[in-house]
């Protein structure tokens, strides 16, 4: 099978690409490198420097490589930024995905795996979310992901699209034997920021809000290893020829507060660093944890690295081996 990986030079997309190549798929990465890194694309995958806004290039690529399936990771992802630039988020995440789906329809490519998000749920109570839980995003990022899911749903009803929407919780860790890690610019994600504090690359880690209705007052998230996410996507891809619509939550089902993650990094690294309490960040729900039993049952997915210390160990290793990230 020939798979086009949009956003395959980014954090999750590059790990997906490595898993596809390892499993013998012909893999073509399509990325504009606005956020991704050319060095993160493993040998064995073809690389196309292209933008999702470029419909003609998408059609040309799908035709040239006789693409059978598309996996889509190319999106703006920062919740805080999405509250400052909603129009940019809808343009990048919704309009460009509409372009991609129209190019797929024109080229008669009908298998699509979409990187959705736990952010589609919005405010959640302190209990694991199921796929059927109410969806009411509280930031434009989550709303842009939900809009794409709805677009896929109605397109699938025409009979011209089989899709899987993978709603993942907080992707983290490093995959491909700790060679593919998290390198965003500017970095806004909790685990890389804490690791940078532990490495002495920043003076402190800031906690955004300690007055949430959670046990220790800081936000609770479900952290899931990036390679486990990639494995779930692969299982969904393999099932796509026989199913029209699949929606899965992907997480470990256990929530950790910001303070607990800070403690875990201190434990794994053996380093101490300054922790500063700040006011809340806009758009953050207090709790987000996943009930992934549907993915486990229907896809046979079992996370291989579910515990937080092992996840952080892999990230710690990558950051120490790549103190300046991919440096490109
Ligand atoms: N946080 C801090 N200090 C920091 C950075 C983050 O306290 O310096 C807090 C945030 O406020 C939040 C938690 O740590 O409560 C996790 O924040 P991240 O920015 O690491 O991740 P988010 O939960 O905001 O979002 C991530 C992805 C989204 C995805 C979402 C799903 O960025 O793409 O997980 O849960 F949708």
């Amino acid at each position: 099978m020939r798979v086009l990986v949009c956003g395959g030079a980014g954090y999750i997309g590059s790990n997906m690409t490595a898993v596809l190549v390892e499993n013998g798929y012909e893999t073509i990465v399509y990325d504009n490198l606005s956020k991704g890194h050319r060095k993160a694309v493993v040998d064995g995958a073809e690389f196309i420097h292209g933008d999702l806004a470029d419909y003609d290039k998408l059609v040309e690529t799908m035709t040239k490589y006789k693409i059978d399936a598309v996996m889509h990771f190319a999106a703006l992802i920062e919740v805080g930024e999405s509250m400052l630039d909603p129009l940019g988020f809808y343009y990048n995440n919704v309009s460009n995905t509409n372009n991609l789906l129209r190019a797929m329809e024109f080229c008669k490519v009908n298998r699509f795996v979409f990187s959705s998000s736990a952010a589609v749920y919005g405010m959640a109570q302190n209990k694991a979310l199921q796929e059927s839980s109410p969806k009411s995003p509280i930031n434009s990022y989550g709303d842009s992901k939900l809009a794409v899911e709805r677009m896929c749903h109605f397109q699938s009803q025409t009979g011209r699209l089989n899709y899987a929407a993978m709603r993942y919780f907080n992707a983290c860790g490093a995959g491909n034997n700790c060679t593919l890690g998290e390198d965003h610019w500017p970095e806004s994600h909790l685990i890389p920021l804490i690791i940078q504090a532990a490495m002495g690359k920043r003076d402190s880690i800031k906690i955004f809000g300690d007055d949430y209705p959670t046990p220790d007052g800081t936000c609770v998230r479900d952290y899931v290893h990036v390679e486990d996410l990639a494995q779930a996507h692969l299982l969904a891809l393999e099932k796509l020829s026989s199913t029209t619509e699949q929606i899965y939550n992907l997480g470990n089902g256990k929530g950790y507060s910001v303070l607990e993650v800070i403690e875990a990094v201190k434990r794994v690294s053996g380093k101490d660093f300054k922790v500063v309490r700040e006011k809340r960040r806009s758009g953050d729900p207090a709790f987000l944890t996943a009930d992934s039993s549907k993915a486990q049952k229907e896809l046979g997915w079992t996370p291989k690295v579910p515990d937080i210390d092992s996840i952080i160990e892999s990230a710690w290793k990558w950051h120490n081996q790549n103190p300046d990230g991919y440096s490109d």
Side-chain angles (χ1 to χ4, degrees), residues 172-174 178 191 195 310-320:
C172 47
C178 300
I191 291 179
I195 288 178
S310 306
I311 291 175
I312 290 171
E313 260 165 45
S314 71
W316 176 248
K317 191 167 172 192
W318 185 82
H319 281 276
N320 277 280

Side-chain angles (χ1 to χ4, degrees), residues 1-52:
M1 195 192 291
R2 285 169 297 266
V3 184
L4 185 69
V5 184
C6 299
Y11 172 47
I12 306 174
S14 63
N15 276 280
M16 186 71 244
T17 298
V19 167
L20 286 166
V21 169
E22 193 184 315
N23 282 274
Y25 288 82
E26 275 183 56
T27 310
I28 296 91
V29 167
Y30 187 95
D31 200 300
N32 67 5
L33 297 181
S34 64
K35 303 275 178 186
H37 309 276
R38 180 64 184 87
K39 288 181 195 156
V41 179
V42 291
D43 290 344
E46 194 77 38
F47 178 78
I48 310 290
H49 190 190
D51 198 293
L52 289 183

Side-chain angles (χ1 to χ4, degrees), residues 73-128:
F73 300 88
L76 295 179
I77 58 163
E78 282 170 30
V79 169
E81 187 194 346
S82 85
M83 300 303 278
L84 300 173
D85 182 22
L87 297 183
F89 268 67
Y90 288 104
Y91 177 71
N92 259 283
N93 296 2
V94 185
S95 304
N96 281 348
T97 305
N98 177 276
N99 226 18
L100 173 63
L101 288 167
R102 284 188 303 109
M104 286 174 62
E105 181 173 55
F106 180 79
C107 297
K108 299 196 167 35
V109 178
N110 66 0
R111 278 178 272 193
F112 186 57
V113 180
F114 173 57
S115 161
S116 187
S117 171
V120 299
Y121 294 109
M123 283 303 177
Q125 300 305 314
N126 183 15
K127 63 175 193 216

Side-chain angles (χ1 to χ4, degrees), residues 178-209:
C178 300
T179 60
L180 298 174
E182 195 168 3
D183 179 11
H184 301 110
W185 182 257
E187 190 52 80
S188 70
H189 289 86
L190 183 65
I191 291 179
L193 288 174
I194 306 175
I195 288 178
Q196 287 172 5
M199 290 170 72
K201 290 179 73 76
R202 54 181 71 234
D203 337 328
S204 63
I205 181 71
K206 294 179 177 139
I207 297 180
F208 296 142

Side-chain angles (χ1 to χ4, degrees), residues 269-289:
S269 65
K271 309 276 183 195
D272 200 7
F273 44 86
K274 196 165 144 201
V275 177
V276 179
R277 290 170 191 254
E278 297 265 332
K279 62 180 178 21
R280 293 182 180 194
R281 189 175 71 176
S282 166
D284 274 341
F287 285 100
L288 277 178
T289 55

Side-chain angles (χ1 to χ4, degrees), residues 241-270:
S241 43
S242 57
T243 50
T244 308
E245 222 172 347
Q246 308 176 68
I247 297 182
Y248 297 111
N249 281 346
L250 301 175
N252 285 308
K254 183 161 167 41
Y256 292 91
S257 71
V258 173
L259 273 169
E260 287 172 325
V261 178
I262 292 172
E263 283 313 310
V265 174
K266 287 187 175 175
R267 219 168 28 242
V268 167
S269 65

Side-chain angles (χ1 to χ4, degrees), residues 109 136 148 151 177 204 257 292 301 303:
V109 178
S136 191
V148 172
M151 192 154 68
N177 295 319
S204 63
S257 71
S292 301
W301 179 62

